[in-house]
């Protein structure tokens, strides 16, 4: 009670199920009461919320302390269903890159399993990096939700839902950076394996077709891996194509860069919020304008058209993310040098994955 007294005067304490309720009067603003007392309760395994309740005579304020639950309750059917759907869509997307015909025999879909496994491994390692560090810092988080979409990608990535409050900037940095850093390791491994495998034979009817084709950009990380392994990133012979695992690695790099945009509750938003504190919101507010401006410059001065649509779409998306704001840690203690270095390394990884125009449509 003495710990609460400076910001909240308690007149009654009672239990309501698994919660402890403190009835009383705030001695500071609601945000100050929560920011001062939330860490105290967090250390004892409780989440805290200040609320107003109507009484017989006048509204009363209560502090509600709810025991924090970490872990999985029951079978996560939604996660399982989305993961299964993403297996199917990435298998189908893989048939495009392997040039597998599934019309005659639908079971040919299974021949694209290396591509599907590579994509799911990259995304899974990324999201479980977040999940494991969330558990280490005792922050409640869901298992990954995979997002299935049609080819050529087969997936729009994966997310985990943070249900608990972040205790400190240190925890926020660890949770935000662990996903991209773990995911980029998986991406590098998949890409190197793909570069070492023999190219895929392209049917001559496809190689000589006049139909539109997609040409993918080569981020610095992909070029560096090709140089280190001594492998080409293209072939003069149109009947040869890079192994689909290289494309899986390319997709992992694109997802890494987009996740590291420093806005809202994207990984980059978490990392910058941990590094810069509340000043992160100033940077986040500028990100949509930068993306719209970048798309406009490419449209006016670059040899592109619909390809810049990705930056317009992400301009809209980041506008919404900036509006809802970043995750706010309970403690604003600055980071030590080690974690500052980790944060900067994380953004360096994102820079190595950047592509001004990720793909071009060649007619």
């Amino acid at each position: 009670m003495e710990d609460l007294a400076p910001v909240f005067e308690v007149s009654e304490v009672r239990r309501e199920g698994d919660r402890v309720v403190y009835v009383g009067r705030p001695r500071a603003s609601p945000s100050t009461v929560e920011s001062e007392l939330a860490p105290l309760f967090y250390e004892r395994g409780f989440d805290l919320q200040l609320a107003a309740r109507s009484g017989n005579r006048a509204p009363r304020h209560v502090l509600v302390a709810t025991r924090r639950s970490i872990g999985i309750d029951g079978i996560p059917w939604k996660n399982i269903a989305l993961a299964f759907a993403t297996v199917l869509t990435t298998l189908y997307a893989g048939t495009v890159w392997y040039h597998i015909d599934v019309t005659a025999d639908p079971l040919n879909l299974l021949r694209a399993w290396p591509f599907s496994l590579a994509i799911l491994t990259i995304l899974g390692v990324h999201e479980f990096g977040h999940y494991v560090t969330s558990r280490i810092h005792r922050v409640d988080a869901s298992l990954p939700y995979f997002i299935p979409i049609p080819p050529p990608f087969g997936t729009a990535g994966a997310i985990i839902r943070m249900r608990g409050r972040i205790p400190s900037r240190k925890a926020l940095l660890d949770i935000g950076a662990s996903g991209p850093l773990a995911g980029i390791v998986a991406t590098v491994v998949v890409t190197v394996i793909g570069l070492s495998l023999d190219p895929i034979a392209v049917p001559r009817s496809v190689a000589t077709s006049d139909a539109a084709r997609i040409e993918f950009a080569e981020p610095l990380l992909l070029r560096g891996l090709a140089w280190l392994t001594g492998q080409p990133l293209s072939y003069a012979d149109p009947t040869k194509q890079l192994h689909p695992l290289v494309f899986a690695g390319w997709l992992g790099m694109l997802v890494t860069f987009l996740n590291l945009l420093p806005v809202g509750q994207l990984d980059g938003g978490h990392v910058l919020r941990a590094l810069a504190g509340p000043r992160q919101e100033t940077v986040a507010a500028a990100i949509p304008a930068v993306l719209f401006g970048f798309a406009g410059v490419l449209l006016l001065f670059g040899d592109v058209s619909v390809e810049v649509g990705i930056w317009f779409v992400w301009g809209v998306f980041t506008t919404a993310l900036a509006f809802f704001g970043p995750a706010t840690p309970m403690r604003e203690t600055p980071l030590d040098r080690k974690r500052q270095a980790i944060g900067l390394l994380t953004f360096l990884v994102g820079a190595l994955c950047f592509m001004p125009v990720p793909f071009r449509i060649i007619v």
Side-chain angles (χ1 to χ4, degrees), residues 124-276:
V125 169
H126 180 121
E127 296 304 329
F128 273 103
H130 292 312
Y131 182 78
V132 170
T133 49
S134 296
R135 294 295 299 270
I136 290 172
H137 287 287
R138 301 193 59 76
V139 175
D140 192 17
S142 71
L143 288 170
Y145 293 93
F146 290 90
I147 306 171
I149 62 171
F153 301 137
T155 178
I159 60 172
I160 66 170
R161 189 161 61 93
M162 306 295 294
R163 294 185 289 242
R165 298 187 65 179
I166 311 295
S168 63
R169 283 164 65 171
K170 170 185 170 182
L172 184 60
L173 186 282
D174 291 352
I175 293 170
S178 59
L181 293 181
I184 205 64
V185 172
T187 296
V188 167
V189 171
V190 165
T191 305
V192 169
I193 293 174
L195 289 169
S196 67
L197 294 174
D198 293 334
I200 296 296
V202 180
R204 188 163 294 276
S205 59
V206 175
T208 58
S209 173
D210 293 331
R213 59 187 176 86
I214 301 177
E215 184 179 274
F216 294 96
E218 300 169 357
L220 288 176
L221 180 58
L222 181 57
R223 292 184 183 183
L225 294 175
W227 177 77
L228 288 172
T229 58
Q231 299 296 324
L233 287 175
S234 61
Y235 296 94
D237 185 351
T239 63
K240 289 184 177 181
Q241 171 195 296
L242 286 171
H243 196 278
L245 291 195
V246 179
F247 174 69
W250 177 91
L251 183 58
M253 295 175 199
L254 178 63
V255 168
T256 297
F257 171 75
L258 294 175
N259 262 307
L260 285 174
L261 290 172
V263 59
Q265 298 204 26
L266 291 176
D267 297 343
H270 290 332
V271 173
L272 188 60
R273 179 63 177 78
L275 287 171

Side-chain angles (χ1 to χ4, degrees), residues 282-293:
T282 303
V283 177
I287 294 299
V290 170
L291 294 177
F292 286 129

Side-chain angles (χ1 to χ4, degrees), residues 34 49-53 60-64:
E34 287 195 347
Q49 183 179 12
L50 176 65
R53 292 185 178 180
R60 299 181 300 170
H61 287 85
V62 294
L63 286 171
V64 182

